[in-house]
Every structure is written in C-alpha cells, then in structure tokens.
C-alpha cells in the first residue's frame, strides 16, 4: 500500500516513516501542501496534517477530493475539533488526533482501505494481458497462462502498483516473508520465468537498484 504523508514536522515524519516502512507500506513524504495534488494519483492513502505552513489543510483536503477519490486521513492537534469536523466535511475518510501511535494509524489506514475495498478494480489490463486479482487468473491474448502461486503473487504486486515502481523489498516481504540473498535470487528467477511464461518480456520492467514496474499503458477497469 502506498501512502503520501503530508507533514511539516520533521520529528513526526522521521519517527513515523521507518515504522510504517517496517509494516510494509511504501511512503512518500511532502513537508508542504505544494505538490500534493500532483502526487495523489500515485498513492492509495493520503495522511494529511491539517496544520501546514503554506496552505490551510481543510482547503487542501477539499482540493484533493476535487481531483481524486484517494483515501484521505486528516491529522490534527489535540483540541482542534472544528478542524476535524471540517476535514470530514471536506471529504476526508477518517481522522487522527496528535499524538497518535503507529498501531492506531495502521488500524485506521486498514479500516479505510477495507471500507473502500469494494470499489477497487480487481482486473488490471495492460495491452492484451489481463490480471484478475480476485480470481487469481492471468489471460494473455484471451488465453489462460498457468502460473505458480509465487509467480502470481509477484505479478499481482507489480500489476497492483499500476505503473508505479514496486520495490524488491516490498515484493520479498509480501511473497517470501523474508529478505535474504536466497530469496532475492529466487525473486530474479520468478521474474525471468514470468516474462517467459507470459511471452511479454517488456511487461515487467526492471528499475535498476529499486524494483519493478509494469511496462505499457495500464487500462482502468
Ligand atoms: Ca503541522
């Protein structure tokens, strides 16, 4: 899951980011409201501090909602009840009060994702390849391609990022549960096999030193 953290306080961000990364989230951080609207399409959840130096958080929340239906969790300092209510009115899905702990944040993020889950597309199409995440089925040019469980999981993670980069660490943690050299070699083998089985070597692009992403235009469905 990809989270955009909009937080001007370096101490808060510095404590939060490693804790969330350890829990398998991919985090991008902005310290101001500037640039947020350009980034919301790349993430699943926006964690929005309402007290930002350059723009009123409630206004920014409304602007995000105008361009995207991304999940938004607003964060306010204790006592600022009005901000919270305004945030929810401006289209936020939930709110947190500072100081909050990471487990509470994780629970809110997961709850928001669950509540919105039924709207998620479960079939991802790229050219003549379709990956059905709910039925665990892959079709290339209308024909089913048999994949092993791990091969499907790797493909589902890369496809699920819909063109964003999916890091090797994330794939290893999600599929192998461990990030050692043996697992890393196994991932290389699985990606090579996937490219061969699908007959579409350009579908999974290697981003050197980072991970993988889908090659080609991802269709919305
Ligand atoms: Ca702040």
């Amino acid at each position: 899951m990809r989270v955009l953290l909009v937080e001007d306080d370096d101490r808060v961000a510095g404590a939060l980011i490693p804790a969330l990364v350890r829990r398998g989230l991919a985090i991008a951080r902005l310290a101001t409201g500037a640039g947020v609207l350009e980034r919301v399409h790349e993430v699943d959840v926006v964690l929005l501090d309402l007290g930002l130096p350059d723009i009123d958080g409630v206004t920014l929340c409304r602007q995000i909602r105008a361009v995207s239906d991304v999940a938004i969790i607003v964060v306010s300092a204790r006592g600022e009840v009005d901000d919270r209510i305004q945030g929810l009115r401006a289209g936020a899905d939930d709110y947190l009060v500072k100081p909050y702990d990471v487990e509470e944040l994780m629970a809110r993020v997961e709850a928001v994702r669950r509540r919105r889950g039924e709207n998620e597309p479960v079939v991802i199409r790229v050219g003549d390849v379709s990956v059905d995440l709910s039925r665990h089925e892959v079709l290339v040019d209308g024909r089913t391609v048999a994949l092993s469980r791990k091969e499907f999981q790797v493909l589902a993670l890369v496809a699920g990022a819909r063109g964003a980069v999916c890091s090797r660490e994330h794939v290893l943690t999600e599929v192998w549960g461990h990030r050692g050299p043996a697992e890393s070699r196994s991932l290389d083998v699985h990606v090579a096999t996937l490219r061969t089985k699908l007959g579409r070597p350009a579908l999974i692009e290697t981003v050197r030193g980072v991970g993988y992403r889908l090659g080609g235009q991802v269709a919305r469905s």
Side-chain angles (χ1 to χ4, degrees):
M1 201 183 326
R2 301 157 303 168
V3 176
L4 177 60
L5 173 65
V6 186
E7 172 61 68
D8 58 314
D9 188 328
D10 288 336
R11 272 193 331 178
V12 171
L16 199 53
I17 291 170
L20 295 177
V21 168
R22 270 200 302 279
R23 287 165 175 81
L25 302 186
I27 312 292
R29 181 218 172 181
L30 289 171
T32 62
V36 168
L37 294 178
E38 289 76 44
R39 303 287 296 276
V40 293
H41 303 289
E42 303 164 8
V43 300
D44 305 299
V45 178
V46 177
L47 192 62
L48 177 63
D49 180 25
L50 290 177
L52 293 171
D54 58 337
I55 185 170
D56 170 58
V58 174
T59 303
L60 180 56
C61 184
R62 198 170 291 118
Q63 290 176 355
I64 295 170
R65 189 49 82 226
V67 298
S68 165
D69 72 345
V70 68
I72 304 171
I73 299 176
V74 294
V75 179
S76 67
R78 190 168 296 282
E80 293 171 338
V81 178
D82 284 356
D83 281 358
R84 237 142 55 213
I85 294 167
Q86 282 193 50
L88 292 173
R89 284 202 183 120
D93 295 275
D94 205 346
Y95 66 85
L96 277 165
V97 178
K98 280 183 180 176
Y100 54 84
D101 68 36
V102 174
E103 294 311 327
E104 184 184 3
L105 169 59
M106 286 301 294
R108 298 296 178 94
V109 167
E110 276 155 19
V112 163
R113 288 281 290 169
R114 258 198 313 278
R115 281 205 298 276
R116 300 165 62 95
E118 54 261 40
N119 302 325
E120 283 272 296
V122 287
V123 181
I124 296 161
R125 292 189 184 82
V126 187
D128 62 357
V129 179
S130 83
V131 182
D132 189 328
L133 297 179
S134 49
R135 295 167 65 189
H136 282 225
E137 190 177 64
V138 180
L139 298 177
V140 178
D141 198 16
R143 288 166 43 190
T144 304
V145 177
L147 298 179
S148 75
R149 192 174 59 87
K150 276 200 170 68
E151 286 160 3
F152 182 84
Q153 288 176 331
V154 171
L155 179 60
L157 285 173
V158 175
R162 291 176 173 76
V165 178
C166 189
S167 76
R168 287 182 66 88
E169 286 70 26
H170 181 57
V171 177
L172 289 168
T173 305
E174 291 286 314
V175 179
W176 278 265
H178 184 68
R179 304 185 296 192
E183 290 78 11
S184 188
R185 279 192 298 278
S186 182
L187 171 56
D188 290 333
V189 172
H190 279 73
V191 169
T193 312
L194 268 172
R195 285 172 175 150
T196 307
K197 281 191 176 177
L198 297 171
R200 299 288 179 276
L203 184 73
I204 302 175
E205 285 179 3
T206 300
V207 182
R208 206 167 290 280
V210 184
Y212 303 99
R213 74 169 159 235
L214 275 188
Q217 194 68 41
V218 182
R220 291 272 166 190
S221 64

